[in-house]
Amino acid sequence: MSNILILGGTTEASALAAALAERHAPAVLSYAGRTDRPRAQPVPVRVGGFGGVAGLVRHLRDERVTHLVDATHPFAATMSEHAVAAAREAGVEHIMLTRPSWVAAEGDRWTHVPDIAGAVATLNGSARNVMLALGRMHVDAFAVQPQHHYLLRFVDMPVVAPGLPRHSLVVDRGPFTSDGDIRLMRDHGIDIIISKNAGGSGAQAKLIAARSLGLPVVMIDRPPCPAAQVTHEVSGVLEWLGHAAERGV
Ligand code: NAP
């Protein structure tokens, strides 16, 4: 009998939880606890860090987890590394469910940078209206470029105001549409967009909007992904669970 732990915080994790609930497969969804109002889920939810690799190993053993599905965001690199290491140590099956990266299309004006620091460095120079489509975690890194006016879009209203002298804040959890994002960019006179290469359709609206408006995008490439079995589809995880069951795991 399988006992599944999903590492979540993404649309894919919620879709997998729904698919497993439909099949009455025993699964728990784990959140880091970064958002105030996580979506209601059809499976039990646990919240908070495990306490590093050792804590996750303990959790996997205590809860008799047989299958660990890492459906975290592609930029949640620490959790993904911990998941691979802990699964190996605890003898638990492991798979990553992740969205494919976005790829530039005809008309896109992307500059690739390897990380947040690289994105910050591209903003040297005169004042512009910058859309920072990064979530709230890395916004303060842009305080070293205080000449710009930043448009921020967060899932929740932050408790502490962002540390940027000139900014506008939109609270919205999406999914977003390209028409809505075109309007937003026009309303705020956006000159440039800073984006992580998160992948996925809801968050892609801003890139389609940028293409339509001919705006440049600074694309932060993904951190390296640990060596692991990867699928891009919920059906891939279901298949993997089926195969694993056939092998008697
Ligand atoms: P991270 O840097 O890889 O992880 C930092 C620590 O947070 C981990 O070591 C772990 O703590 C805890 N953690 C992360 N994901 C967890 C989960 N699903 N369940 C329990 N603990 C978790 O991750 P992050 O970039 O801070 O992302 C945190 C969460 O937000 C993830 O669930 C991710 O899917 C979601 N998210 C991230 C981004 C992004 O751009 N990074 C965007 C959207 C959503 P311990 O070491 O104590 O176990």
Side-chain angles (χ1 to χ4, degrees), residues 83-162:
V84 167
R88 191 179 303 128
E89 198 175 325
V92 164
E93 298 281 322
H94 171 279
I95 196 167
M96 287 180 84
L97 169 60
T98 187
R99 322 160 190 176
S101 299
W102 290 315
V103 178
E106 179 84 35
D108 281 331
R109 296 174 58 202
W110 293 5
T111 302
H112 290 272
V113 293
D115 49 26
I116 298 284
V120 171
T122 63
L123 293 180
N124 287 334
S126 55
R128 281 180 283 175
N129 291 329
V130 181
M131 180 172 176
L132 270 194
L134 298 176
R136 65 180 164 185
M137 278 190 292
H138 300 291
V139 159
D140 289 353
F142 290 81
V144 296
Q145 303 277 13
Q147 69 276 33
H148 305 298
H149 190 284
Y150 293 93
L151 171 61
L152 311 175
R153 181 162 61 188
F154 294 169
V155 174
D156 301 303
M157 184 57 80
V159 178
V160 180

Side-chain angles (χ1 to χ4, degrees), residues 8-9 30-32 34 48-52 72-73 76-79 82 137 196:
S30 174
Y31 282 123
R34 302 279 193 273
F50 298 96
T72 56
H73 191 273
T78 306
M79 187 70 254
H82 289 183
M137 278 190 292
K196 290 178 185 170

Side-chain angles (χ1 to χ4, degrees), residues 64-248:
R64 300 183 186 281
V65 172
T66 58
H67 294 78
L68 179 61
V69 183
D70 175 5
T72 56
H73 191 273
F75 280 76
T78 306
M79 187 70 254
S80 292
E81 270 174 37
H82 289 183
V84 167
R88 191 179 303 128
E89 198 175 325
V92 164
E93 298 281 322
H94 171 279
I95 196 167
M96 287 180 84
L97 169 60
T98 187
R99 322 160 190 176
S101 299
W102 290 315
V103 178
E106 179 84 35
D108 281 331
R109 296 174 58 202
W110 293 5
T111 302
H112 290 272
V113 293
D115 49 26
I116 298 284
V120 171
T122 63
L123 293 180
N124 287 334
S126 55
R128 281 180 283 175
N129 291 329
V130 181
M131 180 172 176
L132 270 194
L134 298 176
R136 65 180 164 185
M137 278 190 292
H138 300 291
V139 159
D140 289 353
F142 290 81
V144 296
Q145 303 277 13
Q147 69 276 33
H148 305 298
H149 190 284
Y150 293 93
L151 171 61
L152 311 175
R153 181 162 61 188
F154 294 169
V155 174
D156 301 303
M157 184 57 80
V159 178
V160 180
L164 298 172
R166 277 176 272 273
H167 71 265
S168 307
L169 174 61
V170 174
V171 176
D172 194 348
R173 70 161 59 208
F176 305 107
T177 63
S178 47
D179 284 349
D181 277 2
I182 286 173
R183 231 175 359 257
L184 182 73
M185 289 175 192
R186 280 202 174 124
D187 288 351
H188 290 267
I190 294 299
D191 299 308
I192 187 166
I193 293 109
I194 314 283
S195 169
K196 290 178 185 170
N197 196 334
S201 56
Q204 196 175 17
K206 60 181 174 279
L207 303 177
I208 298 168
R211 188 187 306 149
S212 307
L213 296 171
L215 294 175
V217 172
V218 175
M219 185 60 76
I220 304 169
D221 289 330
R222 293 181 174 193
C225 169
Q229 191 174 343
V230 177
T231 180
H232 295 312
E233 308 291 341
V234 166
S235 59
V237 179
L238 298 176
E239 215 171 278
W240 170 77
L241 287 164
H243 287 318
E246 277 162 27
R247 293 204 313 268

